[in-house]
């Protein structure tokens, strides 16, 4: 605690000298090792205490035996390292099987090299280097009171000298000057993205098509439109995307559907029958919890299960929530058929699809009111 | 050999002439580091970080952080001709068309898991040994910051390959951000450059993942190391060890060699995992599209507790005045993380407030010797562990044939009951272990020597415990209790007069009271003596500042 | 001193060696890992091609039906409280259910599992049964060998359809997944190409139907090509860890990674206790 003397600026070298041999002390080697050990114990800070043995040298014979083992391990590292380079040259990639071979060869040699080097060094420390039980003094972290006092005074003195305390106008205008500069980086971030507006309330199902006809439902992955008469097996499901947006991920993130085929008697009151066609019902595939595609469908129970957090919806009953964290049913899309018998969207969803957000409100209630 | 080789001597002189490095080395070459296996746990994280920097740099040489669409034409046959983002295509390219690319990718991912796992076990060690106590609170706070940043770093990295699995994670991130009241949609649109998924998020995450967060991590890790160096490491109680010293091996040469060996072990284990255990096989997942998802979509383990919290939650949502608060998203996303991170950050200060202990501590507590702290820690582990387990409930259900909903319903109860049970069990175990210590100190240990007494009875001879073991046990330090009792005139101290003061006094008594005191010979003894010891603690050091 | 001193010093010393308990933990972990490796499902699949044909010994099928199926499905396959009607399910459904061992069901669980075939279940017996059920009311028929030949499919196209329609339940490589109330999507590894095809057209148990007019037979063959290709493909990065994603990876990081590193840390820092006199 008394190490630092503020009135002696030269003492930037702390008086705490740790574990170094005195400057004219012997360098470790050969016969004078014991003496060297004693040298760092003699240091003012690192010393031997009662019951602690200090520096204990290994038995030279045992150390020589260990040396041979360590040398063997280092040699293995050398060989494995060389093998790694050889494996890089020898094994090409380009097919999955070749990649597997290359991975095993490179990784195997690398692992062996590292492992034996690590083991070698560990043995070196444990069996060749001395055992150390050195004791070093600790000092409280706090500076002594004289230092604290000095710093405090210097700080106040400097503040006064700078005029920052006395010149009010200087202080205030400096703060004023800093404010807009501090805000500038935040302002710059504004162009990171557009504002949400009402974009979360619409999907491309409501967007007009080129020829003004209703938008067709097409099969995800093939892009084929779906003839209602073909989707005729009760218990059937299809993952469906809007025609013209098959590759547009932004559109798909809201507009993907699951299309289900029921026997007419299976559909319950929660489902809007006007929005179905011949037992075919379309729900948003985007879970109302946090937006995963909810698409695990059990045709026997009509459960739609979201694989992320296991919200479960009853597809026969308007996709109402029967288990899990989702708070709202999957929105139903009004569908019908066009002149050629293909399934089309009659309009957009009447509520926002996907996860809840602050501006959403109780869109379902609003939709009901509008209808009534 | 009394003089160093010329090459070394000349270089040293050159450097010292210019840097004055000699003074630093004089102080530090023989800096003493205490030896205990648990003191190396933090190094797992440190070395994993170094490996992450090295392998990460390698990966950036080929990775294209772009969401531009391409048609794949590389070596992996089942995806040839499939449309995908450039990011995903380049990640496939690294895996199958760059020699060693797959290995480095896997090493990078395994190192990321071990980075967080290493931080976790290191943090638990620091917690259970009380090594966060004064003067190390700041370093503890840096550690909590590092852990939080590591989670963010992991999340951004997980998303970069733009495969179907990472996309699911990104989608959930988006859903959670959207649920934030008032600003949620704005933040989401700013991050994604518009509607999800947009065309910007991969390149933005790339910058965050390879520059911003690693930069902060590097700075904080340096600060963490410097503070550790300056404050010197804590040590376990034992022969010759005191609050005023540190016993161990010098930095040069012993500790340096040990640290080097442990770096190589860390690298070797990660390389072994990277060679023999496949991680994140993105080619099997396929390219990302928001329309598809796989069963068993999971985050990496360190996000598992958040995933579990989301799965546990019932469907609560509030609508008012045209606004929505999605409690079923917000509570699980914020509360467990909040409890864990805030709890960790505040614990050192809460403990100080309860015990009134303002002294410096350099001797680590053995976990059993602070039973309430240990029980709180175990309780926290149970809380985290149950959430983590529930984050994998679909895999548990599928692989162990348990009904899916049963796991969720179990979790809903377990999350409240589990930590309480864990607390009680941990507390009892601590007390039991303390009793065992007391017994060893008073009666010695079983010697393995069986003796037949003159009356024919067999007994096992007990011998006194070895000196180092006994010293280790006697290192138990009493936890101070703030003064709350009435003084001679029946007036409680000022601090204990308010309701908060009384609560504090009660907590302090419960937290600090020693249930299994040792005396000089290690005999458990009566409460009278025990009061004296408290008095002794109370009268020493800064303790009186409290009143 | 009176008495007999029996020294068990050496054993005790070894048992009390500071590394001993860690060695026990390591051993336990090793056994656990080894046990898992043995128990873990392996990728190979029995590719028992079940010949589909027109062998229509309806009468033979009927007698098999009465012996093995009628107790649940009714004497004329009209169904009962225990089991659905089989009129109109078609030969494909019979072939799928019986050839995979799901039917006859063993007991009333949430879902009939795949199991080893009973002795009477021969390809001919399945054919006869299928012919009988087909004769009751038509329905999807057993696909031809060419219809399900993976070599004729396009795995890349099939992969896209597989990801759009199958992986939400069956997982990205067909490792299976959980459904509600104890039901599950089974792993696809043991399924033959014919069974995969039949499952899609008949929608067994909880599985939905993918009929031929919306997912064409060629597209189904593409999917079969993808499924069989991926399941037989090596894992280039080492053990696939069950191919179920990050859950097993996290377990390995902790159980293998952290444990090995703790052992290394113990080795580096362990003190050698000098033998006591």
């Amino acid at each position: 605690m008394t190490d630092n003397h503020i009135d002696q600026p030269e003492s930037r070298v702390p008086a705490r000298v740790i574990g170094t041999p005195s400057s004219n002390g012997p360098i470790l080697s050969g016969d004078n090792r014991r003496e060297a050990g004693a040298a760092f114990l003699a240091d003012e800070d690192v010393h031997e205490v009662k019951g602690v043995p200090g520096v204990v040298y290994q038995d030279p014979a045992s150390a020589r035996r260990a040396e041979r083992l360590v040398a063997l391990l280092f040699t293995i590292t050398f060989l494995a390292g060389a093998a790694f380079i050889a494996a890089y040259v020898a094994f090409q990639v380009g097919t999955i099987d070749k990649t597997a071979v290359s991975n095993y060869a490179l990784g195997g040699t690398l692992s062996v090299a590292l492992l034996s080097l690590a083991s070698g060094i560990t043995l070196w420390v444990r069996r060749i280097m001395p055992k150390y039980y050195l004791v070093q003094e600790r000092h409280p972290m706090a500076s002594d009171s004289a230092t604290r006092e000095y710093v405090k005074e210097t700080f106040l003195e400097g503040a006064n000298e700078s005029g920052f305390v006395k010149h009010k106008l200087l202080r205030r205008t400096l703060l004023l000057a800093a404010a807009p500069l501090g805000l500038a980086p935040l302002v710059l971030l504004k162009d990171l993205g557009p504002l949400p507006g009402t974009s979360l309330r619409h999907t491309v199902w409501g967007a007009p098509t080129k020829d003004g006809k209703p938008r067709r439902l097409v099969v995800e992955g093939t892009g084929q439109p779906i003839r209602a008469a073909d989707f005729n097996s009760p218990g059937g499901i299809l993952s469906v995307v809007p025609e013209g947006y098959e590759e547009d991920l932004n559109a798909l993130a809201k507009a993907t559907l699951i299309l289900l085929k029921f026997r007419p008697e299976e559909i319950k009151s929660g489902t809007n029958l006007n929005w179905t066609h011949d037992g075919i019902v379309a729900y948003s595939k985007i879970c109302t919890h946090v937006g995963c595609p909810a698409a695990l469908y059990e045709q026997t129970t009509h459960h739609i299960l979201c694989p992320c957090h296991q919200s479960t919806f009853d597809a026969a009953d308007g996709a109402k929530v029967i288990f899990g964290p989702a708070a709202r049913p999957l929105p139903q899309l009004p569908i019908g058929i066009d002149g050629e018998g293909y399934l089309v969207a009659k309009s957009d969803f009447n509520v926002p699809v996907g996860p809840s957000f602050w501006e959403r409100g109780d869109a379902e209630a609003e939709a009901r009111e509008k209808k009534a | 050999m009394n003089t160093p080789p010329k090459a070394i001597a000349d270089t040293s002189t050159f450097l010292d002439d210019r840097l004055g490095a000699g003074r630093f080395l004089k102080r530090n070459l023989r800096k003493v580091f205490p030896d205990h296996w648990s003191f190396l746990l933090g190094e797992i994280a440190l070395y994993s970080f170094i490996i992450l920097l090295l392998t990460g740099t390698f990966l950036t040489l080929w990775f294209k952080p772009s969401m531009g669409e391409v048609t794949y034409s590389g070596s992996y046959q089942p995806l040839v001709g499939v449309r995908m983002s450039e990011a995903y295509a380049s990640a496939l390219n690294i895996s199958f068309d760059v020699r060693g690319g797959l290995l480095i990718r896997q090493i990078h991912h395994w190192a990321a898991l071990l980075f967080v796992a290493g931080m976790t076990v290191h943090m638990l060690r620091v917690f259970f040994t009380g090594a966060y106590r004064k003067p190390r609170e700041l370093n503890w706070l840096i550690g909590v910051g590092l852990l939080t940043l590591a989670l963010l770093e992991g999340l951004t990295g997980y998303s970069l390959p733009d495969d179907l699995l990472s996309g699911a994670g990104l989608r959930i991130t988006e859903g959670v951000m959207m649920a934030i009241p008032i600003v949620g949609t704005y933040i989401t649109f700013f991050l994604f450059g518009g509607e999800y998924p947009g065309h910007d998020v991969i390149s933005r995450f790339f910058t965050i993942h390879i520059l911003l967060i690693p930069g902060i991590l590097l700075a904080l890790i340096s600060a963490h190391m410097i503070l550790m160096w300056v404050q010197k490491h804590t040590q376990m109680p034992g022969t010759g060890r005191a609050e005023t010293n540190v016993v161990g091996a010098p930095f040069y040469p012993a500790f340096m060699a040990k640290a080097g060996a442990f770096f190589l072990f860390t690298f070797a284990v990660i390389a072994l995992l990277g060679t023999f255990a496949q991680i994140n096989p993105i080619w099997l997942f396929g390219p990302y599209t928001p329309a598809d998802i796989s069963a068993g979509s999971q985050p990496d383990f360190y996000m598992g507790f958040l995933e579990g919290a989301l799965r546990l939650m019932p469907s609560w949502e509030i609508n008012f005045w045209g606004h929505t608060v999605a409690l079923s998203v917000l509570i699980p996303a914020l509360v467990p993380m909040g409890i864990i991170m805030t709890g960790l950050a505040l614990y050192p200060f809460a403990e100080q407030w309860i015990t009134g202990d303002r002294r410096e501590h350099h001797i680590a507590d053995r976990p059993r010797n602070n039973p309430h702290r240990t029980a709180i820690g175990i309780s926290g582990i149970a809380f985290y562990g149950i959430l983590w387990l529930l984050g994998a409930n679909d895999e548990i259900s599928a692989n162990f044939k348990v009904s899916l909903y049963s796991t969720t319903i179990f979790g809903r109860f377990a999350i409240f009951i589990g930590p309480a049970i864990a607390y009680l069990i941990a507390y009892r175990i601590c007390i039991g272990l303390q009793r065992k210590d007391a017994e060893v100190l008073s009666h010695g240990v079983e010697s393995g020597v069986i003796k037949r007494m003159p009356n024919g009875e067999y007994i096992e001879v007990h011998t006194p415990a070895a000196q180092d073991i006994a010293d280790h046990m006697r290192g138990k330090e009493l936890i101070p209790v703030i003064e709350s009792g009435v003084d001679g005139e029946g007036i409680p101290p000022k601090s204990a007069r308010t309701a908060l003061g009384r609560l504090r006094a009660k907590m302090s008594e419960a937290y600090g009271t020693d249930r299994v005191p040792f005396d000089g010979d290690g005999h458990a003894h009566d409460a009278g003596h025990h009061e004296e010891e408290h008095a002794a603690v109370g009268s020493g050091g800064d303790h009186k500042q409290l009143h | 001193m009176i008495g007999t001193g029996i020294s068990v010093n050496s054993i005790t010393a070894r048992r009390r060696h500071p590394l001993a308990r860690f060695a026990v933990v390591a051993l336990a972990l090793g056994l656990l890992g080894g046990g898992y490796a043995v128990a873990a499902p392996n990728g190979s699949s029995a590719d028992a091609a079940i010949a589909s044909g027109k062998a229509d010994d309806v009468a033979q099928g009927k007698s098999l039906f009465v012996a093995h199926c009628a107790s649940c499905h009714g004497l004329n396959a009209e169904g009962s409280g225990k089991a659905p009607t089989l009129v109109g399910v078609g030969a494909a459904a019979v072939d799928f259910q019986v050839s995979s061992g799901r039917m006859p069901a063993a007991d009333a669980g949430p879902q009939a599992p795949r199991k080893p075939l009973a002795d009477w279940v021969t390809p001919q017996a399945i054919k006869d049964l299928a012919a009988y059920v087909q004769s009751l009311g038509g329905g999807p028929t057993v696909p031809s060998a060419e219809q399900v030949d993976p070599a004729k499919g396009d795995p890349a196209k099939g992969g896209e359809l597989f990801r759009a329609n199958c992986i939400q339940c069956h997982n990205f490589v067909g490792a299976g997944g959980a459904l509600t109330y104890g039901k599950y999507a089974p792993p696809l590894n043991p399924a033959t190409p014919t069974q995969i095809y039949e499952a899609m057209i008949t929608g067994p148990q909880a599985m939905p139907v993918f009929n031929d007019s919306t997912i064409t037979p060629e597209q189904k063959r593409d999917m079969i090509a993808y499924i069989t290709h991926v399941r037989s493909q090596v894992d280039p990065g080492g053990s696939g860890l069950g191919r179920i994603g990050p859950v097993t990876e996290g377990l390995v990081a902790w159980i293998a990674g952290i444990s090995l590193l703790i052992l290394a840390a113990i080795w580096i820092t362990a003190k050698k206790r000098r033998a006591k006199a």
Side-chain angles (χ1 to χ4, degrees), chain C residues 210-268:
Chain C
F210 299 89
N211 71 15
D212 280 346
S213 45
T214 46
I215 304 279
T216 64
E218 291 73 35
Q219 290 166 348
K220 289 194 172 82
R221 188 165 60 192
D222 291 345
M223 282 152 79
I224 290 168
Y226 182 80
I227 294 165
T228 52
H229 183 103
V230 166
R231 77 184 178 192
S232 62
Q233 164 184 302
V234 297
D235 284 317
S239 157
L241 305 181
R243 289 183 168 185
I244 60 165
V247 171
T248 42
E249 295 165 6
L251 281 178
V252 169
W254 279 89
I255 294 175
I258 292 292
S259 309
L260 283 173
L261 285 172
I262 287 177
L263 285 176
I266 290 168
W267 185 36
I268 290 175

Side-chain angles (χ1 to χ4, degrees), chain A residues 121 125 129-130 132, chain B residues 28-36 39-40 43 46-47 225 228-229 233 248-263, chain C residues 268-269:
Chain A
I121 295 176
V125 180
M129 282 190 202
Y132 296 93
Chain B
N28 288 307
L29 269 179
R30 285 286 184 173
K31 188 176 185 68
V32 169
F33 281 83
D35 243 356
H36 193 269
F39 296 169
L40 294 183
E43 294 186 24
L46 176 67
Y47 302 142
M225 304 307 297
M228 183 274 293
W229 189 279
H233 208 282
F251 178 72
Y252 175 80
F255 184 75
M256 226 165 83
K258 287 179 188 179
F262 198 58
F263 169 71
Chain C
I268 290 175
T269 56

Side-chain angles (χ1 to χ4, degrees), chain B residues 92-422:
Chain B
L92 289 174
N93 182 45
I94 292 173
S95 306
F96 293 115
D97 296 297
V98 174
R99 273 179 284 174
L102 180 64
L103 181 67
I104 301 293
R105 243 199 73 226
Q106 299 209 114
I107 287 181
H108 191 73
H109 205 123
W110 281 116
L113 296 195
L114 284 184
F115 180 50
V116 186
M119 284 173 119
T120 310
V121 286
H122 169 61
M123 187 199 70
L124 291 174
R125 193 278 296 171
V126 170
F127 182 85
F128 285 120
T129 58
Y132 53 77
R133 289 174 296 175
K134 190 179 172 186
R136 295 184 178 77
E137 302 99 320
L138 292 179
N139 227 11
W140 172 257
L141 289 179
I142 291 176
V144 174
L146 282 171
L147 185 61
T148 317
L149 281 172
L151 298 186
L152 271 178
E153 179 71 347
L155 179 76
T156 49
Y158 174 89
S159 305
L160 288 182
D162 204 23
D163 56 274
L164 192 57
L165 184 65
S166 78
L170 201 56
R171 179 92 218 207
I172 295 170
T173 312
E174 187 244 7
V176 170
M177 286 174 74
M178 288 248 283
I180 299 170
I182 306 171
V183 294
T185 45
Y186 290 85
I187 295 179
T188 314
F189 272 62
F190 287 158
L191 178 66
F192 290 92
E195 283 201 78
Y196 179 87
H199 300 282
D200 299 320
V201 69
I202 296 291
S203 53
R204 288 177 185 177
F205 269 21
F206 183 68
T207 306
I208 296 172
H209 181 75
I210 69 152
L211 181 70
L212 187 62
I213 302 181
I216 305 174
L217 280 174
L218 195 60
L220 285 179
I221 288 173
S222 309
H224 203 68
M225 304 307 297
I226 290 169
L227 276 180
M228 183 274 293
W229 189 279
V230 169
Q231 293 176 333
K232 301 197 180 91
H233 208 282
T234 52
Q235 59 188 347
M236 286 293 174
T239 311
R241 296 176 188 174
E243 291 285 4
T244 54
N245 69 14
V246 49
V247 180
F251 178 72
Y252 175 80
F255 184 75
M256 226 165 83
K258 287 179 188 179
F262 198 58
F263 169 71
L264 291 166
F265 272 123
T266 310
F267 203 167
V269 166
I270 291 173
L272 279 172
L273 288 171
T275 310
F276 296 105
Q278 181 165 289
I279 190 165
N280 202 25
I282 49 167
W283 56 92
L284 295 177
F285 303 146
Y288 180 59
T289 158
D292 296 338
I293 193 156
S294 168
S297 284
Q298 299 280 350
D300 275 348
F301 87 82
Y302 43 83
M303 287 289 169
F305 77 106
L306 290 177
E307 179 80 355
L310 282 165
R311 289 177 181 196
L312 275 191
M313 194 63 195
S315 56
W316 297 349
E317 183 164 302
I318 298 173
N319 283 297
F320 62 97
W321 302 316
H323 291 300
T324 301
V325 181
L327 296 177
S328 61
V329 180
L330 286 173
I331 292 178
L334 301 178
V335 172
M337 183 90 153
I339 290 177
I340 292 169
M341 292 300 178
T342 320
L344 286 173
L346 292 183
Y347 197 84
F349 306 100
E351 187 181 59
Q352 253 174 42
W353 183 73
I354 288 170
T355 58
D357 189 354
R358 299 281 192 278
R359 297 167 303 171
E360 282 193 10
H361 290 276
H362 302 288
I363 298 268
D365 277 330
R366 299 170 74 211
R368 68 189 62 176
N369 289 338
N370 195 329
H372 280 290
R373 175 206 289 148
T374 303
I376 288 169
I378 297 289
S379 174
I381 291 177
F383 178 73
Y384 182 94
I386 288 165
L387 290 178
W388 187 14
L389 193 70
L390 264 289
N393 71 339
D394 50 347
E395 297 296 359
I396 292 169
S397 170
N399 290 291
F400 299 100
K401 307 281 178 262
V402 189
S403 166
L404 189 64
Y405 295 164
S406 310
T407 61
T408 311
I409 290 162
F410 162 80
R412 285 176 183 170
F413 288 99
I415 195 60
F416 295 106
I417 301 167
I421 295 175

Side-chain angles (χ1 to χ4, degrees), chain B residues 70-77 79-82 84 89 92-93 97:
Chain B
V70 293
T71 302
Y72 182 68
S73 58
S75 297
Y76 184 65
Q77 285 305 320
L79 286 175
V80 170
V82 174
M84 57 181 64
L92 289 174
N93 182 45
D97 296 297

Side-chain angles (χ1 to χ4, degrees), chain C residues 7 36 90 114 124 132 139 153 156 192 200 203 243 246:
Chain C
S7 170
Y36 176 76
R114 171 180 279 271
Q124 187 56 47
Y132 167 66
T192 63
M200 286 192 272
R243 289 183 168 185

